[in-house]
Amino acid sequence: MRALMYLGTRQMEMQEVEEPRVTPGHAVLKVGAASICGSDLHGFLGKSAKRVPPLIMGHEFTGEVVDLGRGAEGLSVGDRVTINPILSCGRCDECLRGRTSICPHRTVIGIEHPGAFANYVSVPVASCFRLPDHVGDLEGSMVESLSNALHIFDRSLHGFIRSVAVIGAGTQGLLALQVARHIGATRIAVTDRMPSRLALATSMGATHAIDVRSDDPDGPVEAVFDMTDGQGVDLAVEAVGHTATQEQAVRMLRQGGEAVLLGLGAEAPMAIDGVAMVNRELVVRGSYAYTSLDFAYSLELISTGRIDVASMVVERDLEQGPGIFAKLVDDPGDLIKVALVPGS
Ligand SMILES: [Zn+2]
Ligand SMILES: [Zn+2]
């Protein structure tokens, strides 16, 4: 079969490799679509220690079952599925608390196991979620992305979330803003440097689109305070991964507000005003990946049309993979999410 092989920093090529063989409890899938994650781009740049070359990446995907191993119950050949790629141990304290995404023993398909930038991939049957017929492969490959955005809110300490600031209108920012709208936030600010992304954010329900091209770190904070009549927001989501924007997220909060950090790769540790944190009872926390419950809810929101994923993802032929990765890290232009689709 054909596979997009990661061979080292900025090195990727299409190779001919052996197809995966079916093993007990597993299904072999013919890949439908596999989306490129921001974390895959970090891997491509050699900044993801867990991605050891040679590796087939791809953890956001759909496929059709073509073979089933012994004891693989609940699925049939021909079923279309999407996959929760995080394999947690189920026995550690974090797993027992339901916090499977931070299981210290977890492994991920496409990181520690061969992923879906290929014609075929092997997955545990227990990780498969059947796709309704009307959910296409591109949309199905976005279930994983939306799960990340849902996890932010799933773990929030707040009751009602009325005002939200989202820093960065990439995939995660655009999804977080839609979840904020879905759960009833009435004021939603989104910041970005690209006018096309801000326009998309507005069309998806952002009430305030804040252009941050001027590089003034106070500008977005002031705009968020203007939006909230000088109060600050209940929840700020940092979906970029820079030190300066992490600090901005905390400064955008109202009293008792919560900043959630999602973006990877910040250059340096952030500075937090500890006095303000005490006096204003601020919460700053991280959000990592998702649980199976987030995943199931994500699929439900996409299949019922509550969240628009179709307008942020475009399809490209898997054979173009090496060029697409280079483009996404060097000059993405209007591209937000790219799904690689193997030719038949
Ligand atoms: Zn991902
Ligand atoms: Zn565990």
mmCIF file of all heavy atoms in Angstrom, residues 42-61:
data_model
loop_
_atom_site.group_PDB
_atom_site.id
_atom_site.type_symbol
_atom_site.label_atom_id
_atom_site.label_comp_id
_atom_site.label_asym_id
_atom_site.label_seq_id
_atom_site.Cartn_x
_atom_site.Cartn_y
_atom_site.Cartn_z
ATOM 1 N N HIS A 42 3.829 20.061 14.118
ATOM 2 C CA HIS A 42 4.929 20.133 15.091
ATOM 3 C C HIS A 42 5.871 18.950 14.899
ATOM 4 O O HIS A 42 7.093 19.090 14.945
ATOM 5 C CB HIS A 42 4.387 20.123 16.527
ATOM 6 C CG HIS A 42 3.984 21.462 17.010
ATOM 7 N ND1 HIS A 42 4.839 22.292 17.701
ATOM 8 C CD2 HIS A 42 2.822 22.134 16.899
ATOM 9 C CE1 HIS A 42 4.223 23.422 17.972
ATOM 10 N NE2 HIS A 42 2.990 23.351 17.502
ATOM 11 N N GLY A 43 5.279 17.779 14.677
ATOM 12 C CA GLY A 43 6.078 16.583 14.430
ATOM 13 C C GLY A 43 6.951 16.735 13.197
ATOM 14 O O GLY A 43 8.149 16.445 13.215
ATOM 15 N N PHE A 44 6.351 17.237 12.120
ATOM 16 C CA PHE A 44 7.062 17.450 10.849
ATOM 17 C C PHE A 44 8.265 18.374 11.062
ATOM 18 O O PHE A 44 9.316 18.199 10.458
ATOM 19 C CB PHE A 44 6.071 18.052 9.852
ATOM 20 C CG PHE A 44 6.649 18.368 8.500
ATOM 21 C CD1 PHE A 44 7.122 17.361 7.675
ATOM 22 C CD2 PHE A 44 6.691 19.681 8.037
ATOM 23 C CE1 PHE A 44 7.636 17.653 6.413
ATOM 24 C CE2 PHE A 44 7.205 19.983 6.780
ATOM 25 C CZ PHE A 44 7.678 18.968 5.972
ATOM 26 N N LEU A 45 8.100 19.346 11.961
ATOM 27 C CA LEU A 45 9.189 20.290 12.246
ATOM 28 C C LEU A 45 10.180 19.735 13.272
ATOM 29 O O LEU A 45 11.102 20.432 13.699
ATOM 30 C CB LEU A 45 8.613 21.617 12.759
ATOM 31 C CG LEU A 45 7.802 22.416 11.725
ATOM 32 C CD1 LEU A 45 7.136 23.626 12.365
ATOM 33 C CD2 LEU A 45 8.692 22.851 10.561
ATOM 34 N N GLY A 46 9.977 18.487 13.677
ATOM 35 C CA GLY A 46 10.900 17.849 14.613
ATOM 36 C C GLY A 46 10.707 18.296 16.045
ATOM 37 O O GLY A 46 11.598 18.128 16.882
ATOM 38 N N LYS A 47 9.519 18.847 16.361
ATOM 39 C CA LYS A 47 9.301 19.376 17.713
ATOM 40 C C LYS A 47 8.419 18.466 18.557
ATOM 41 O O LYS A 47 7.914 18.882 19.592
ATOM 42 C CB LYS A 47 8.641 20.758 17.624
ATOM 43 C CG LYS A 47 9.538 21.819 17.011
ATOM 44 C CD LYS A 47 8.786 23.142 16.934
ATOM 45 C CE LYS A 47 9.610 24.229 16.264
ATOM 46 N NZ LYS A 47 8.765 25.401 15.962
ATOM 47 N N SER A 48 8.162 17.252 18.108
ATOM 48 C CA SER A 48 7.314 16.332 18.852
ATOM 49 C C SER A 48 8.151 15.102 19.200
ATOM 50 O O SER A 48 8.366 14.221 18.368
ATOM 51 C CB SER A 48 6.101 15.945 18.000
ATOM 52 O OG SER A 48 5.452 14.817 18.525
ATOM 53 N N ALA A 49 8.638 15.076 20.442
ATOM 54 C CA ALA A 49 9.585 14.030 20.843
ATOM 55 C C ALA A 49 8.990 12.635 20.702
ATOM 56 O O ALA A 49 9.713 11.653 20.485
ATOM 57 C CB ALA A 49 10.027 14.274 22.284
ATOM 58 N N LYS A 50 7.645 12.530 20.826
ATOM 59 C CA LYS A 50 7.030 11.205 20.768
ATOM 60 C C LYS A 50 6.954 10.644 19.355
ATOM 61 O O LYS A 50 6.742 9.458 19.163
ATOM 62 C CB LYS A 50 5.611 11.271 21.343
ATOM 63 C CG LYS A 50 5.569 11.423 22.858
ATOM 64 C CD LYS A 50 4.142 11.342 23.340
ATOM 65 C CE LYS A 50 4.079 11.337 24.861
ATOM 66 N NZ LYS A 50 2.675 11.331 25.320
ATOM 67 N N ARG A 51 7.073 11.517 18.360
ATOM 68 C CA ARG A 51 6.979 11.033 16.971
ATOM 69 C C ARG A 51 8.386 10.668 16.482
ATOM 70 O O ARG A 51 9.159 11.525 16.098
ATOM 71 C CB ARG A 51 6.355 12.108 16.088
ATOM 72 C CG ARG A 51 4.846 12.262 16.306
ATOM 73 C CD ARG A 51 4.361 13.501 15.595
ATOM 74 N NE ARG A 51 2.903 13.619 15.514
ATOM 75 C CZ ARG A 51 2.141 14.113 16.481
ATOM 76 N NH1 ARG A 51 2.669 14.522 17.610
ATOM 77 N NH2 ARG A 51 0.839 14.204 16.318
ATOM 78 N N VAL A 52 8.663 9.384 16.534
ATOM 79 C CA VAL A 52 9.998 8.899 16.184
ATOM 80 C C VAL A 52 9.971 8.330 14.760
ATOM 81 O O VAL A 52 9.221 7.397 14.476
ATOM 82 C CB VAL A 52 10.454 7.803 17.175
ATOM 83 C CG1 VAL A 52 11.845 7.302 16.806
ATOM 84 C CG2 VAL A 52 10.418 8.337 18.609
ATOM 85 N N PRO A 53 10.773 8.906 13.838
ATOM 86 C CA PRO A 53 10.786 8.393 12.469
ATOM 87 C C PRO A 53 11.462 7.014 12.403
ATOM 88 O O PRO A 53 12.297 6.734 13.256
ATOM 89 C CB PRO A 53 11.596 9.447 11.707
ATOM 90 C CG PRO A 53 12.404 10.171 12.741
ATOM 91 C CD PRO A 53 11.649 10.050 14.043
ATOM 92 N N PRO A 54 11.159 6.173 11.424
ATOM 93 C CA PRO A 54 10.125 6.396 10.403
ATOM 94 C C PRO A 54 8.729 6.142 10.972
ATOM 95 O O PRO A 54 8.534 5.177 11.714
ATOM 96 C CB PRO A 54 10.468 5.350 9.343
ATOM 97 C CG PRO A 54 11.107 4.227 10.104
ATOM 98 C CD PRO A 54 11.828 4.863 11.265
ATOM 99 N N LEU A 55 7.799 7.033 10.641
ATOM 100 C CA LEU A 55 6.453 6.934 11.215
ATOM 101 C C LEU A 55 5.402 7.355 10.192
ATOM 102 O O LEU A 55 5.578 8.341 9.485
ATOM 103 C CB LEU A 55 6.363 7.857 12.448
ATOM 104 C CG LEU A 55 4.972 8.049 13.059
ATOM 105 C CD1 LEU A 55 4.490 6.765 13.751
ATOM 106 C CD2 LEU A 55 4.950 9.210 14.047
ATOM 107 N N ILE A 56 4.299 6.589 10.165
ATOM 108 C CA ILE A 56 3.104 7.030 9.434
ATOM 109 C C ILE A 56 2.233 7.768 10.442
ATOM 110 O O ILE A 56 1.728 7.157 11.377
ATOM 111 C CB ILE A 56 2.324 5.832 8.841
ATOM 112 C CG1 ILE A 56 3.232 4.963 7.962
ATOM 113 C CG2 ILE A 56 1.112 6.332 8.051
ATOM 114 C CD1 ILE A 56 2.583 3.639 7.543
ATOM 115 N N MET A 57 2.116 9.083 10.299
ATOM 116 C CA MET A 57 1.264 9.852 11.209
ATOM 117 C C MET A 57 -0.198 9.718 10.775
ATOM 118 O O MET A 57 -0.523 8.967 9.872
ATOM 119 C CB MET A 57 1.675 11.331 11.192
ATOM 120 C CG MET A 57 3.074 11.617 11.677
ATOM 121 S SD MET A 57 3.228 13.411 11.940
ATOM 122 C CE MET A 57 4.954 13.662 11.537
ATOM 123 N N GLY A 58 -1.066 10.517 11.407
ATOM 124 C CA GLY A 58 -2.482 10.517 11.037
ATOM 125 C C GLY A 58 -3.324 9.900 12.136
ATOM 126 O O GLY A 58 -3.409 8.676 12.241
ATOM 127 N N HIS A 59 -3.910 10.765 12.988
ATOM 128 C CA HIS A 59 -4.736 10.241 14.092
ATOM 129 C C HIS A 59 -6.171 10.757 14.056
ATOM 130 O O HIS A 59 -6.949 10.493 14.950
ATOM 131 C CB HIS A 59 -4.083 10.570 15.449
ATOM 132 C CG HIS A 59 -3.897 12.036 15.683
ATOM 133 N ND1 HIS A 59 -2.724 12.690 15.391
ATOM 134 C CD2 HIS A 59 -4.735 12.981 16.175
ATOM 135 C CE1 HIS A 59 -2.836 13.970 15.685
ATOM 136 N NE2 HIS A 59 -4.058 14.177 16.163
ATOM 137 N N GLU A 60 -6.525 11.519 13.009
ATOM 138 C CA GLU A 60 -7.890 12.069 12.903
ATOM 139 C C GLU A 60 -8.476 11.499 11.619
ATOM 140 O O GLU A 60 -8.278 12.056 10.557
ATOM 141 C CB GLU A 60 -7.832 13.597 12.816
ATOM 142 C CG GLU A 60 -6.949 14.234 13.890
ATOM 143 C CD GLU A 60 -6.873 15.754 13.798
ATOM 144 O OE1 GLU A 60 -7.419 16.323 12.831
ATOM 145 O OE2 GLU A 60 -6.279 16.360 14.695
ATOM 146 N N PHE A 61 -9.209 10.374 11.726
ATOM 147 C CA PHE A 61 -9.540 9.696 10.466
ATOM 148 C C PHE A 61 -10.821 8.875 10.506
ATOM 149 O O PHE A 61 -11.384 8.599 11.558
ATOM 150 C CB PHE A 61 -8.369 8.810 10.035
ATOM 151 C CG PHE A 61 -7.964 7.732 11.020
ATOM 152 C CD1 PHE A 61 -8.355 6.412 10.832
ATOM 153 C CD2 PHE A 61 -7.191 8.040 12.127
ATOM 154 C CE1 PHE A 61 -7.977 5.416 11.729
ATOM 155 C CE2 PHE A 61 -6.810 7.045 13.035
ATOM 156 C CZ PHE A 61 -7.203 5.735 12.824
#
